Amino acid sequence: MATTKTTKKTAPKAEKAVRPLEADVYSMDGKKVSSIALPAEVFGAPWRADLVHQVVTGIQANLRQNRAHTKNRAEVSGGGKKPWKQKGTGQARHGSTRSPIWRHGGITFGPRTERDYSEKINKKMRLAALASALSRKAQDGELILVDKLSFAAPKTSSAKAVIAALGKGADAATLAAKKKNAALIVVSEYHVDTLKSFRNIGSVLTEEARNLNPLDVLTHKYLIIENPEASFKTLSTRMAA
């Protein structure tokens, strides 16, 4: 009698964290000015695709707006009177023209605005997914650090020049050429002139470090962080919360 050999299945091993020791810091002209160590609690997390997917889909569900709405038979106009008497006409019995089987009647099982698509995301899950996404950007060489982003006045042409210079200096060829979702610019704090300068560029998005989320990080190709010391301090404080 032949015997069959069974193999024991083992669970897939989690990817080990590969943390770059330091990263270059560039000026607005695209020139390297210094280097800075990347904090392990922010850029040293392993890539967890399952966790990141769960958190990202949860954020997308919370952003979903429920606008589709149909009226049921109690909400459509008309139909207060019985179309014809119950018996003697030779026709089927009907009590109201607002019935779903009538033209201009109510809709049965149609979409309603009462439906709630939101999902609960635990704080630890959200922060772990953010650290995993940031670490992946650093490991893939898609992290660009700039010492400061300051403009005397809001000017889109100046912002485009900065993006082109950073793309050339950091060897990010598609930063200035990419037409959509090219970069997420993270600022350490709110700067009106900086945000307005990048606002009219459709390929970039500007966000404060305290509001950073994994959906925006993964949606854009490059991650540009302004004032790394202050931004890293804000992110480290969030991870420790």
Side-chain angles (χ1 to χ4, degrees):
M1 183 177 179
T3 58
T4 58
K5 184 178 181 181
T6 59
T7 57
K8 184 178 180 182
K9 295 182 179 180
T10 58
K13 296 181 179 180
E15 296 184 20
K16 295 183 179 180
V18 180
R19 180 174 66 91
L21 298 178
E22 60 180 19
D24 297 331
V25 181
Y26 299 90
S27 64
M28 294 177 59
D29 299 331
K31 298 180 181 178
K32 179 182 176 181
V33 293
S34 63
S35 297
I36 188 173
L38 300 180
E41 62 275 11
V42 180
F43 296 98
W47 173 246
R48 298 182 58 184
D50 53 347
L51 174 64
V52 173
H53 176 268
Q54 184 176 355
V55 173
V56 168
T57 54
I59 295 175
Q60 291 174 331
N62 294 335
L63 293 174
R64 183 173 179 177
Q65 296 182 357
N66 187 10
R67 296 181 177 179
H69 181 76
T70 55
K71 294 181 179 181
N72 56 31
R73 63 181 298 165
E75 296 171 330
V76 295
S77 61
K81 181 183 177 182
K82 186 176 175 66
W84 48 76
K85 62 181 182 178
Q86 183 79 352
K87 297 178 180 295
T89 63
Q91 300 185 82
R93 295 169 291 184
H94 289 287
S96 173
T97 57
R98 291 183 291 186
S99 172
I101 65 177
W102 279 69
R103 186 169 179 262
H104 300 304
I107 303 298
T108 305
F109 304 127
R112 305 281 293 182
T113 53
E114 290 86 358
R115 184 171 180 180
D116 185 12
Y117 294 98
S118 63
E119 298 180 9
K120 183 179 182 297
I121 307 174
N122 294 334
K123 182 177 180 180
K124 289 185 177 181
M125 293 174 57
R126 185 171 64 251
L127 294 177
L130 177 60
S132 181
L134 292 174
S135 303
R136 187 61 178 264
K137 285 294 181 183
Q139 295 167 16
D140 293 345
E142 298 174 350
L143 175 65
I144 302 175
L145 305 180
V146 57
D147 57 352
K148 64 178 181 178
L149 291 174
S150 60
F151 300 89
K155 199 170 185 63
T156 305
S157 59
S158 301
K160 288 184 176 180
V162 171
I163 292 176
L166 289 176
K168 184 177 180 180
D171 197 18
T174 60
L175 179 57
K178 194 173 173 58
K179 299 298 182 182
K180 187 178 180 181
N181 298 333
L184 172 63
I185 301 177
V186 181
V187 295
S188 58
E189 57 184 7
Y190 184 80
H191 300 289
V192 177
D193 295 336
T194 301
L195 298 181
K196 287 185 176 181
S197 297
F198 290 99
R199 185 170 57 185
N200 292 332
I201 304 177
S203 60
V204 302
L205 175 67
T206 308
E207 186 59 272
E208 295 181 58
R210 62 187 179 92
N211 298 327
L212 199 58
N213 64 80
L215 176 60
D216 291 337
V217 173
L218 296 177
T219 301
H220 297 80
K221 172 68 174 176
Y222 292 99
L223 179 64
I224 302 176
I225 298 182
E226 177 261 354
N227 191 0
E229 293 184 1
S231 298
F232 290 172
K233 184 177 178 180
T234 301
L235 293 173
S236 298
T237 303
R238 287 185 59 187
M239 296 303 172

